[in-house]
Amino acid sequence: MFCYNFINITVIFSVNLWLSGWFLGQTIYRKRNRLKVIVPAIILTDLLISFVVTFSYQYNISDWKYPLGSFLHVYIIYLLGMCYRKILYHKKLSVCWITFIFLDMLQSLAQMIIFVFQPGFVYHMADPKERILYSVIISGLAPLLTILFGFLLKRLKTDKAFGLWIEHMDSHPVLFFLLSFSPILQHMAESFIHTHQLSTSADNRMVVVLFLLIIFIILNYTGREELQKLLLEEQKISMQQQNVYIENLENIQQEMKKFHHDFNNMMSGMYLSAKEGDLETISKFILDMSSDFNDQAGGQIRLLNQMKQIRIPELKGLLLTKINRMQKENIHCELEVIYPVSKLSMKTTDLCRCLGILLDNAIEEVLQKEDALIFIMISCQSEVTTFCVKNRLYSAVDTQNIWKNGFSTKGPDRGVGLSSYKKILERYHNIVSHTAVTDGFFLQEFKVQEHEM
Amino acid sequence: MIPIYLCEDNETILTMQKNYLEKLILIENYDMELALCCVHPQEILAAIKTSPKRGIYFLDVELTNEPIDGFMLGQKIRKLDPEGFLIYVTAHKNLAFETFRYHLAAFDYIVKENPQTMLEQMRQNLTLITKQLCGAQSGIQKFFSLKVMDVIKHIPMDEILFFETTGRTHRIELHAACDRMNFIGSLHDLEKQLDERFLRIHRAYLVNTEQISELDLKHRELRMKNGEICLFSKNMKHILLERI
C-alpha cells in the first residue's frame, strides 16, 4: 500500500515541480552545493506525504465522525508542501503556502473531473486490481489532464495574473483565506447540498469541480485587475514624463527669449565699440557672449541633444525625471550619450529599475552637498552597451558591504536598492558589472552584451 | 623622440597650433617632434602605420566632411598605438569626455573657444605628459589587465584581494581594495596569468597571499585585510602556513 502511494505521490510531485517551473516561472533556488539539500528534501517530502496518505487510509481518518480527520490530512500535506517549497525556492512562507495550495488544487481539479465520469464508483483499495486502476488514473490520466489545464490557463494568462497576485498578496487577504480554507469550504458546500437533498451523492464530485472552477475564475479576475492597475500606473508615469519633457522645452524657450533680449543689448554695445575701432572690447564681447550662451540655454540644449540619442521611451522617461529632480536639487548633471541607443538584450523594466536604483543612490549621496556632481554615461558600441553612473563622493564607501540586503549608511529600513540591483543583474548571462571608488568618485557600471554568450 | 600628430579641419587653427607647438618644443627642449599636421584623419592613420611608435595626438572631435568622427579616429589610433596620448580639441563644451576617457583612455580635452587658452592648455598637456613619462620610468606599478567585453580594465596588482567563483557558470568576481567587478572567465586561467602571490586555496577562491590578515585553522577560513572571509581546502593548510 505504501509503495503504491509512494509511486503515485512521486508522479504527482514531479508534475507539481514541473508545473511550478514551467507554469509559474519559479525556478529552484540554486547555489553551490545546493544539490545536496534539494535532492534529500524532495525525497523526504515525498516519503512523508506518502506516509501520511497511507496512514490516513489505514486508520480510515476520512471516515471519522466529523470531517476533522480529512482536514487534518489535507492540512498536514499542505504544511509539508509549504516546507518543501520553502527549502527549494527560498520564497516567503505565505507565498510557498499559497503556491502549493494553488498547484494542489489544479491537480485535484483534474482528478475530480476524471472521477465525475465514473459516478457512484468507489474504489476498493483492498482489491489489487482496482488499486492498480486507481493508480493509473491518479498518476497517469490526472497528470495529463493537469498539463492540459496548464496549457489552457497559460493561454488565458492566468499564470501572469497569479504571479502578480502573489506579489501583491497583502492587498487581497480575502483570496488568501479563500484559498487557505478551500478544503473546509469545499466540504461545507458538499454537506450543504447533501443535507438539502439537492442532488444525489453521485453528483458530489461535480459540485467539487464547480467549486474549484469558481475559485479559479475569481483568481483570474483579481489577477487581471492587478494587471490593469499596473498598466494604468505605467501610463500615468509616461504621462508625467511627457509633461516633464514639455516643461524642459518651455524652459529652453524662455531662456532663448531672455538671451535674445540680452543679445540685442550686447549687439548695440558692440556696434559702438566697432565704430570706435576698439578691437579689444569687441573680442571681449564675443567671448562673453559665447560663454553667456553656454551658461543660459547651452546646458539644457546639450542635455536634450544627448537625450535625442536615446530611442527607448521608458529609459528616456526615467532619465528625464531623474535629471529634472537633480536640477531642482541643484545637482550638476552631465549626461553623455554619443551614439543612439535603441535596442538592448535586457528587459526594459529591469533596465529602468537598475538604472533607477543607481541614480537614486547617486542623488542621495550628493544631496545638499557642495559642488554636487553626477555623471551619467550611456555608450552604445557595436555589440556592447555600457551604462555608467558616477557621483562625487563625500564619505568613504564600504565596497564590500553595500551589497548586503539591509545594509545602509542612512539608518534602518533602507539598503534594499543595491541588493535588488545585484539580483536583477544576476538573472542575465550577458551582463557584467563593476563598482569602484576612483579619484573621489563613486562609480557604478554595468555592460550589456547584445549576443548571448 | 615622441611624434606629435595634429588633426584639425579648420586650416587657420591648424596653422596656429602648428606654429605654437614648433616654437614650444624649441623653447622647452622637449624630446618631441611635430610628425604630421593634417586635415584628413586618414593621413594620420597612414602615418602611424608606416612608423608605429607611442605618440601624442591632438585631434579635432568634429571632423566635417569626413567619413569618420574624432571618436572613431581615436578607436582606430588605439588599435595601432595602444599607449599613445589622445587629446581632443573641440569647438563646443558638449564633448562627452567621460565616454572618450572610458573607451579611448583619452588624456584630456581642450575647448577651442578662446585661442589663447587653447594654446595654453596644449602646453599644460605636454608638460603633464613629460612628467608622466619620467615618472613611469622610475616607479613601476604592476597592473592586472582584464578584457571586459569591449574595454580593457587595469587594476593594480597590490590592491587585488581575491577572486571568487559565483553561483553562475564561468562567472568570476574580483574583490579589490577599491573595486568590485564580475566578469566571464575561469580561476584556472587566471591562476596561470597571475604571479606567485596568488594562490588557489579552494575550488572557489584564488587569493592574494599578501592580503591575508588572519588564518582560522579550525573553521578553515581566511580573513582578508578588508574583513572579508574566504574558505580554504584541507590540503592547502600546510602551504598556507608556510607562506604566512
Side-chain angles (χ1 to χ4, degrees), chain A residues 160 164 167-168 225-243 313-318 321 347-353:
Chain A
K160 277 194 191 126
L164 262 175
E167 270 180 42
H168 304 274
E225 212 175 29
E226 210 62 52
L227 269 175
Q228 290 286 332
K229 250 193 230 165
L230 213 73
L231 215 71
L232 212 71
E233 204 122 298
E234 266 171 25
Q235 274 168 354
K236 227 167 146 188
I237 289 170
S238 97
M239 274 298 276
Q240 270 173 358
Q241 283 163 354
Q242 257 153 30
N243 283 341
E314 291 92 337
L315 179 63
K316 197 184 217 151
L318 175 88
T321 16
K347 262 204 240 158
T348 314
T349 43
D350 284 341
L351 170 70
C352 287
R353 273 192 70 192

Side-chain angles (χ1 to χ4, degrees), chain A residues 124-401:
Chain A
H124 299 285
M125 292 300 166
D127 183 1
K129 234 181 172 178
E130 285 191 12
R131 200 192 291 166
I132 290 170
L133 188 66
Y134 179 78
S135 290
V136 167
I137 287 175
I138 285 287
S139 56
L141 277 176
L144 277 178
L145 205 61
T146 316
I147 292 165
L148 205 74
F149 274 148
F151 274 112
L152 204 72
L153 288 177
K154 213 171 166 91
R155 272 330 267 285
L156 287 171
K157 295 205 169 135
T158 310
D159 53 336
K160 277 194 191 126
F162 186 72
L164 262 175
W165 176 71
I166 277 183
E167 270 180 42
H168 304 274
M169 200 154 57
D170 304 334
S171 52
H172 300 281
V174 181
L175 205 59
F176 180 80
F177 285 112
L178 198 64
L179 268 179
S180 302
F181 295 118
S182 62
I184 297 174
L185 289 173
Q186 197 178 314
H187 182 86
M188 272 161 64
E190 257 177 89
S191 56
F192 176 80
I193 286 163
H194 211 74
T195 46
H196 288 259
Q197 297 290 322
L198 284 177
S199 66
T200 55
S201 65
D203 286 339
N204 260 355
R205 279 157 186 161
M206 200 66 195
V207 174
V208 175
V209 169
L210 270 175
F211 177 78
L212 290 175
L213 275 177
I214 286 169
I215 285 189
F216 278 118
I217 288 165
I218 293 174
L219 200 71
N220 206 353
Y221 175 74
T222 41
R224 256 154 216 269
E225 212 175 29
E226 210 62 52
L227 269 175
Q228 290 286 332
K229 250 193 230 165
L230 213 73
L231 215 71
L232 212 71
E233 204 122 298
E234 266 171 25
Q235 274 168 354
K236 227 167 146 188
I237 289 170
S238 97
M239 274 298 276
Q240 270 173 358
Q241 283 163 354
Q242 257 153 30
N243 283 341
V244 170
Y245 197 66
I246 291 168
E247 214 176 282
N248 257 329
L249 285 174
E250 277 171 352
N251 275 343
I252 289 180
Q253 203 211 356
Q254 202 70 32
E255 273 162 22
M256 288 302 278
K257 219 167 123 189
K258 230 165 59 195
F259 187 73
H260 182 240
H261 175 81
D262 294 352
F263 181 78
N264 278 340
N265 283 343
M266 281 175 150
M267 276 317 242
S268 48
M270 210 142 82
Y271 175 73
L272 282 178
S273 308
K275 237 182 169 177
E276 285 164 18
D278 188 353
L279 274 177
E280 205 162 298
T281 324
I282 292 179
S283 47
K284 199 173 163 282
F285 259 134
I286 293 177
L287 278 183
D288 280 356
M289 209 159 71
S290 60
S291 73
D292 261 20
F293 184 73
N294 261 328
D295 290 346
Q296 283 185 17
Q300 290 288 340
I301 290 178
R302 207 157 65 210
L303 205 67
L304 287 182
N305 249 337
Q306 305 288 324
M307 217 47 112
K308 194 181 70 192
Q309 305 275 33
I310 297 173
R311 312 271 161 86
I312 303 171
E314 291 92 337
L315 179 63
K316 197 184 217 151
L318 175 88
L319 285 169
L320 273 171
T321 16
K322 297 290 175 198
I323 289 173
N324 201 38
R325 190 184 153 200
M326 289 182 209
Q327 282 169 347
K328 274 184 190 144
E329 304 277 6
N330 242 339
I331 298 168
H332 186 71
C333 171
E334 289 286 342
L335 175 71
E336 294 184 2
V337 191
I338 61 168
Y339 294 119
V341 183
S342 47
K343 64 171 178 37
L344 210 59
S345 303
M346 181 182 187
K347 262 204 240 158
T348 314
T349 43
D350 284 341
L351 170 70
C352 287
R353 273 192 70 192
C354 284
L355 208 61
I357 289 168
L358 295 186
L359 288 172
D360 283 340
N361 283 351
I363 291 172
E364 252 173 55
E365 172 63 28
V366 299
L367 205 59
Q368 276 157 17
K369 298 270 170 57
E370 231 172 277
D371 285 338
L373 179 59
I374 293 175
F375 280 110
I376 307 166
M377 183 189 93
I378 300 171
S379 162
C380 188
Q381 300 295 312
S382 54
E383 291 199 332
V384 183
T385 308
T386 308
F387 293 84
C388 182
V389 177
K390 212 165 109 173
N391 63 274
R392 205 190 284 280
L393 204 57
Y394 297 90
S395 54
V397 170
D398 189 347
T399 39
Q400 312 302 338
N401 274 324

Side-chain angles (χ1 to χ4, degrees), chain B residues 177-223:
Chain B
C178 293
D179 296 81
R180 171 117 170 213
M181 58 195 283
N182 61 60
F183 56 94
I184 317 264
S186 82
L187 282 187
H188 186 73
D189 294 342
L190 283 173
E191 212 181 342
K192 282 187 204 155
Q193 195 188 335
L194 292 157
D195 57 20
E196 69 288 342
R197 263 181 290 186
F198 289 86
L199 201 61
R200 179 79 175 268
I201 53 160
H202 187 269
R203 203 157 44 98
Y205 292 98
L206 180 64
V207 166
N208 183 353
T209 45
E210 286 172 5
Q211 293 281 354
I212 299 171
S213 78
E214 269 173 50
L215 209 62
D216 183 347
L217 292 174
K218 202 169 137 201
H219 298 101
R220 289 221 299 277
E221 281 175 0
L222 279 181
R223 186 180 284 275

Side-chain angles (χ1 to χ4, degrees), chain A residues 22-127:
Chain A
W22 172 76
F23 181 58
L24 296 176
Q26 297 184 350
T27 43
I28 293 175
Y29 183 79
R30 247 180 299 179
K31 233 190 152 179
R32 247 174 288 143
N33 299 336
R34 282 286 294 170
L35 218 61
K36 278 188 203 157
V37 183
I38 291 170
V39 173
I42 291 175
I43 293 172
L44 191 73
T45 328
D46 202 342
L47 278 171
L48 275 172
I49 292 182
S50 320
F51 177 74
V52 170
V53 172
T54 318
F55 183 84
S56 60
Y57 168 76
Q58 290 287 341
Y59 291 89
N60 276 330
I61 280 189
S62 49
D63 291 343
W64 284 2
K65 201 172 179 188
Y66 298 104
L68 271 177
S70 48
F71 291 161
L72 194 72
H73 164 81
V74 169
Y75 279 106
I76 286 176
I77 290 178
Y78 282 178
L79 266 174
L80 282 171
M82 178 184 79
C83 291
Y84 106 83
R85 291 197 76 85
K86 177 77 191 164
I87 294 167
L88 255 62
Y89 296 93
H90 272 230
K91 292 261 163 70
K92 269 198 284 184
L93 267 180
S94 52
V95 172
C96 298
W97 172 255
I98 283 300
T99 322
F100 185 79
I101 294 179
F102 177 75
L103 291 176
D104 184 68
M105 276 174 58
L106 205 63
Q107 287 177 318
S108 58
L109 182 67
Q111 286 168 16
M112 286 303 163
I113 284 179
I114 290 172
F115 289 137
V116 163
F117 290 112
Q118 305 170 303
F121 194 80
V122 180
Y123 290 98
H124 299 285
M125 292 300 166
D127 183 1

Side-chain angles (χ1 to χ4, degrees), chain A residues 32 287 294 302 336 338-339 379 381 390 400 426 428-429 431-437 445 447, chain B residues 69 75 94 96-99 102-103 113 150 153 165 168 171 175 178-182 226 228:
Chain A
R32 247 174 288 143
L287 278 183
N294 261 328
R302 207 157 65 210
E336 294 184 2
I338 61 168
Y339 294 119
S379 162
Q381 300 295 312
K390 212 165 109 173
Q400 312 302 338
E426 268 174 13
Y428 290 90
H429 296 291
I431 295 180
V432 293
S433 63
H434 184 188
T435 306
V437 176
E445 150 199 321
K447 297 168 88 70
Chain B
D69 61 14
Q75 280 182 320
N94 65 357
F97 183 59
E98 283 297 313
T99 318
Y102 184 83
H103 285 287
E113 211 172 47
D150 60 342
K153 305 216 172 203
T165 57
R168 297 181 289 165
R171 200 52 79 102
H175 296 242
C178 293
D179 296 81
R180 171 117 170 213
M181 58 195 283
N182 61 60
N226 70 344
E228 285 191 283

Side-chain angles (χ1 to χ4, degrees), chain B residues 11-239:
Chain B
E11 299 226 21
T12 339
I13 295 177
L14 186 68
T15 337
M16 188 160 63
Q17 289 175 339
K18 187 182 160 213
N19 292 339
Y20 179 74
L21 284 179
E22 273 172 353
K23 250 192 276 171
L24 192 72
I25 291 168
L26 262 177
I27 297 167
E28 303 273 341
N29 199 18
Y30 285 139
D31 185 26
M32 301 170 185
E33 59 168 347
L34 209 53
L36 181 73
C37 303
C38 64
V39 182
H40 304 293
Q42 290 87 345
E43 291 175 34
I44 280 202
L45 294 173
I48 305 170
K49 269 178 204 154
T50 48
S51 62
K53 217 174 163 188
R54 188 182 193 181
I56 300 168
Y57 307 85
F58 289 97
L59 308 173
D60 190 4
V61 181
E62 302 89 9
L63 297 165
T64 34
N65 304 326
E66 297 293 341
I68 57 172
D69 61 14
F71 185 81
M72 293 181 209
L73 176 61
Q75 280 182 320
K76 292 204 163 120
I77 291 176
R78 267 280 166 264
K79 273 187 196 141
L80 299 167
D81 178 7
E83 287 193 307
F85 298 93
L86 295 176
I87 297 144
Y88 279 94
V89 185
T90 169
H92 313 289
K93 267 191 190 158
N94 65 357
L95 174 73
F97 183 59
E98 283 297 313
T99 318
F100 277 71
R101 194 153 69 176
Y102 184 83
H103 285 287
L104 308 170
F107 192 74
D108 199 3
Y109 81 107
I110 295 169
V111 184
K112 54 182 166 187
E113 211 172 47
N114 181 339
Q116 230 55 53
T117 43
M118 176 183 81
L119 296 177
E120 172 58 22
Q121 276 183 304
M122 287 175 97
R123 193 185 66 79
Q124 282 172 0
N125 269 309
L126 289 186
T127 329
L128 263 176
I129 289 171
T130 332
K131 255 190 207 158
Q132 215 179 67
L133 286 173
C134 292
Q137 275 155 8
S138 54
I140 302 161
Q141 197 181 18
K142 259 178 128 181
F143 281 95
F144 169 63
S145 301
L146 181 69
K147 190 167 190 303
V148 183
M149 293 184 178
D150 60 342
V151 291
I152 293 169
K153 305 216 172 203
H154 305 278
I155 294 179
M157 282 277 202
D158 308 324
E159 287 186 10
I160 300 175
L161 293 149
F162 63 94
F163 296 88
E164 175 192 20
T165 57
T166 64
R168 297 181 289 165
T169 40
H170 310 304
R171 200 52 79 102
I172 309 272
E173 188 135 337
L174 180 150
H175 296 242
C178 293
D179 296 81
R180 171 117 170 213
M181 58 195 283
N182 61 60
F183 56 94
I184 317 264
S186 82
L187 282 187
H188 186 73
D189 294 342
L190 283 173
E191 212 181 342
K192 282 187 204 155
Q193 195 188 335
L194 292 157
D195 57 20
E196 69 288 342
R197 263 181 290 186
F198 289 86
L199 201 61
R200 179 79 175 268
I201 53 160
H202 187 269
R203 203 157 44 98
Y205 292 98
L206 180 64
V207 166
N208 183 353
T209 45
E210 286 172 5
Q211 293 281 354
I212 299 171
S213 78
E214 269 173 50
L215 209 62
D216 183 347
L217 292 174
K218 202 169 137 201
H219 298 101
R220 289 221 299 277
E221 281 175 0
L222 279 181
R223 186 180 284 275
M224 306 306 291
K225 279 184 181 157
N226 70 344
E228 285 191 283
I229 284 172
C230 305
L231 306 172
F232 64 88
S233 50
K234 232 182 280 172
N235 44 4
M236 288 309 291
K237 187 171 140 186
H238 298 290
I239 304 172

